[in-house]
Amino acid sequence: MTKFYHITTYGCQMNVHESEKIAGILSELGYESCQNIEDADIAVFNTCCIRENAENHAFGNIGMLKKLKRNKKDMIIAVGGCLTQQIGKADVLHEKFPYVDIIFGTHNLNKLKDFILKKQKQKKAVIEVEESEGAICEDEKPLRTSYPNAWINITYGCNNFCSYCIVPYVRGRERSRRSENIIKEAEQIISKGYKEITLLGQNVNSYANGTDDISFPELLRRVAAIDGKFRLRFMTSHPKDFSEELAKAIAENPKICHSVHLPVQSGSNAVLKAMNRKYTVEDYLKKVEILKRYVPDCTLTTDLIVGFPNETDEDFEDTLRFVEKVGYSSAFTYVYSKREGTVAAKMDGQIPEEISKSRIMRLIELVNSQTRSQSTHYVGKTVEILCEDFDKKKGLYQGRDEYGRMAYFACEKNAIGEFVTLKIKEANGISLYGEII
């Protein structure tokens, strides 16, 4: 009899890739994926706690399974990820949701198979959250679900301790995989027909710091040297460690996309200092200048937070002016989310919700206007698109160019995983529409 699993993923691309690792473990145990959680024999929640909304969303969805669990007593419910790694949260989960069978953390995801087998032999819950990061596991076998895109972790954890961020507390200190293992994984991925690789880390720029391994720019060069036609991306890139050598590596290798995600968070030096970002607005602009010198056509995306404690109206206006100056192609914009255990959570001067909402709406409108303006420049041009999916609602295939801009097009054959050349006929907001030539 076929057994099914369902994974619910919250948060960033790193969590998406970790869910692929979870899927690989479940597949090894003989489970198959199902679309509806009601059909699952095991349901796994891969949680995030970077923002309060993600945490609340996870709690809400776990709570909704109480009735289902009552009717399917043999169903296993497992909860892992950043939320469970917070001090005391595993106990809170167990107390609030006693029907959850397995609670594990970010440091022992690779032991999920053992936890499942253990639970199948006993009635009581398995609660295993390790405080120590432990060694990096190099024998993971993710069940990749994002063809033609693939993700590769190159670092885990973070050493920066931005005052608003809980990552160092739930992901641990920064540690890097060996370059030879990363390159081998990339080679295997390309050999299986994947067309885009994204190297992942909280701060990829500090890869291998303090070790005898190669630098991040050199790692990019070696991955880009693998035979085959594919694109290479990376995220996230911390501004304080962005180097001229990295800009050179991007310029020298056509496989490395001319699009860099460089989170600035704020355009105010006072706020950046309070955030413990370790750079100024002027420092950031110098890094942008270096990047543009070597890669003139490179586009920039970023992360922006409004409503950080003690952010004044002038601080916010500085951010708006800064965004206008840099001209981002797109940005992830957030209202500051108070995270217990971080330095910022203890700060005086928490900004009222109505002010934060007003600021975020103004920021979103500015960013969207820049994105729309840049989209219009595509009309009439020829671009290469990597087709990623078929949009059933539009009845069109969709994919991105190397700068990350989404384009839609019609095609008589299955184009997923193919590079296609489009003549752009129309720009609608952030999206492009074209014809194959």
Side-chain angles (χ1 to χ4, degrees):
M1 183 175 177
T2 303
K3 298 181 295 182
F4 295 101
Y5 71 83
H6 184 280
I7 302 173
T8 305
T9 306
Y10 305 87
C12 64
Q13 211 59 61
M14 292 184 192
N15 267 25
V16 172
H17 183 43
E18 288 195 345
S19 287
E20 292 181 333
K21 296 176 184 179
I22 292 171
I25 293 170
L26 297 175
S27 178
E28 185 180 341
L29 285 169
Y31 291 87
E32 294 182 11
S33 176
C34 65
Q35 291 294 321
N36 299 315
I37 198 166
E38 293 82 4
D39 300 324
D41 297 286
I42 180 167
V44 183
F45 292 86
N46 186 14
T47 64
C48 175
C49 64
I50 302 300
R51 280 168 288 279
E52 186 177 14
N53 284 346
E55 186 172 317
N56 291 340
H57 195 195
F59 273 117
N61 286 341
I62 295 167
M64 289 173 64
L65 290 191
K66 183 177 182 178
K67 183 178 179 180
L68 179 62
K69 176 69 172 179
R70 189 185 303 129
N71 296 329
K72 292 182 67 174
K73 297 186 184 300
D74 292 334
M75 178 187 189
I76 293 176
I77 301 174
V79 182
C82 292
L83 190 157
T84 62
Q85 194 65 47
Q86 296 179 84
I87 295 175
K89 276 298 172 72
D91 293 333
V92 171
L93 271 166
H94 183 54
E95 182 178 347
K96 191 175 181 68
F97 309 110
Y99 50 87
V100 169
D101 301 286
I102 300 170
I103 299 174
F104 61 103
T106 58
H107 301 329
N108 58 359
L109 180 154
N110 60 306
K111 297 180 182 178
L112 179 59
K113 177 181 177 180
D114 296 334
F115 301 154
I116 294 172
L117 295 175
K118 183 177 180 180
K119 174 56 191 173
Q120 290 173 338
K121 293 178 181 179
Q122 65 182 42
K123 289 186 177 181
K124 66 178 182 179
V126 177
I127 303 175
E128 299 278 354
V129 179
E130 297 179 3
E131 293 185 13
S132 173
E133 298 97 341
I136 290 176
C137 180
E138 289 288 4
D139 60 354
E140 294 169 319
K141 299 175 182 178
L143 185 62
R144 300 186 185 276
T145 58
S146 302
Y147 179 84
N149 303 312
W151 320 93
I152 300 179
N153 286 110
I154 67 169
T155 68
Y156 295 90
C158 185
N159 292 344
N160 288 308
F161 287 92
C162 298
S163 62
Y164 56 84
C165 186
I166 200 166
V167 167
Y169 305 98
V170 296
R171 292 284 179 178
R173 302 297 80 76
E174 185 177 289
R175 56 245 190 246
S176 299
R177 294 178 62 194
R178 294 295 301 179
S179 59
E180 57 266 27
N181 294 328
I182 296 167
I183 295 166
K184 181 180 179 181
E185 184 175 352
E187 289 172 340
Q188 292 172 342
I189 288 169
I190 297 303
S191 71
K192 293 178 181 177
Y194 287 83
K195 303 296 175 61
E196 183 170 300
I197 292 176
T198 302
L199 304 183
L200 296 175
Q202 295 295 336
N203 179 13
V204 292
N205 294 344
S206 62
Y207 170 78
N209 274 1
T211 73
D212 61 353
D213 211 335
I214 60 178
S215 66
F216 179 59
E218 182 59 25
L219 177 64
L220 281 176
R221 291 187 178 99
R222 296 194 188 184
V223 174
I226 297 171
D227 288 338
K229 181 176 174 59
F230 65 93
R231 290 175 179 168
L232 181 58
R233 300 184 189 273
F234 56 89
M235 65 183 309
T236 295
S237 190
H238 197 294
K240 76 178 178 63
D241 298 312
F242 190 93
S243 67
E244 185 172 4
E245 189 64 22
L246 177 53
K248 289 180 181 178
I250 298 171
E252 294 165 0
N253 294 274
K255 292 177 183 176
I256 304 175
C257 293
H258 288 191
S259 178
V260 173
H261 188 66
L262 197 63
V264 67
Q265 306 300 359
S266 174
S268 161
N269 280 334
V271 174
L272 288 175
K273 184 177 181 181
M275 288 179 167
N276 193 35
R277 289 293 287 173
K278 303 182 179 72
Y279 58 82
T280 64
V281 165
E282 292 75 21
D283 295 332
Y284 185 98
L285 290 174
K286 287 178 182 177
K287 302 298 177 76
V288 173
E289 181 184 344
I290 290 170
L291 177 60
K292 293 288 188 177
R293 186 191 316 151
Y294 288 96
V295 195
D297 65 329
C298 192
T299 59
L300 279 172
T301 58
T302 198
D303 295 343
L304 293 158
I305 297 172
V306 303
F308 189 78
N310 298 302
E311 180 189 60
T312 65
D313 289 339
E314 184 58 31
D315 290 328
F316 175 66
E317 294 296 334
D318 284 345
T319 295
L320 294 180
R321 286 189 286 268
F322 184 83
V323 170
E324 289 178 335
K325 182 179 181 67
V326 176
Y328 295 105
S329 64
S330 65
F332 297 101
T333 56
Y334 308 99
V335 171
Y336 164 72
S337 181
K338 186 177 181 180
R339 301 283 73 199
E340 294 301 328
T342 64
V343 172
K346 302 174 184 178
M347 290 181 177
D348 295 329
Q350 301 288 326
I351 304 300
E353 183 179 356
E354 61 272 18
I355 294 178
S356 292
K357 284 185 176 179
S358 173
R359 289 175 181 173
I360 196 70
M361 295 307 296
R362 289 182 61 193
L363 179 60
I364 290 172
E365 177 53 37
L366 173 59
V367 170
N368 287 347
S369 68
Q370 289 182 330
T371 302
R372 289 192 295 266
S373 176
Q374 292 180 30
S375 291
T376 61
H377 298 155
Y378 275 89
V379 177
K381 293 183 179 180
T382 300
V383 297
E384 184 179 68
I385 299 294
L386 173 58
C387 182
E388 299 176 338
D389 205 352
F390 181 78
D391 189 313
K392 293 181 180 179
K393 289 184 179 180
K394 295 180 184 292
L396 298 170
Y397 285 96
Q398 65 183 63
R400 293 175 297 155
D401 69 353
E402 72 165 301
Y403 307 103
R405 194 56 53 105
M406 185 66 72
Y408 295 87
F409 62 96
C411 186
E412 294 181 357
K413 65 174 185 177
N414 184 355
I416 297 174
E418 300 293 327
F419 287 99
V420 298
T421 302
L422 299 184
K423 181 69 173 292
I424 302 303
K425 299 293 186 179
E426 179 187 352
N428 182 9
I430 63 174
S431 301
L432 310 174
Y433 294 84
E435 296 178 354
I436 296 178
I437 59 173

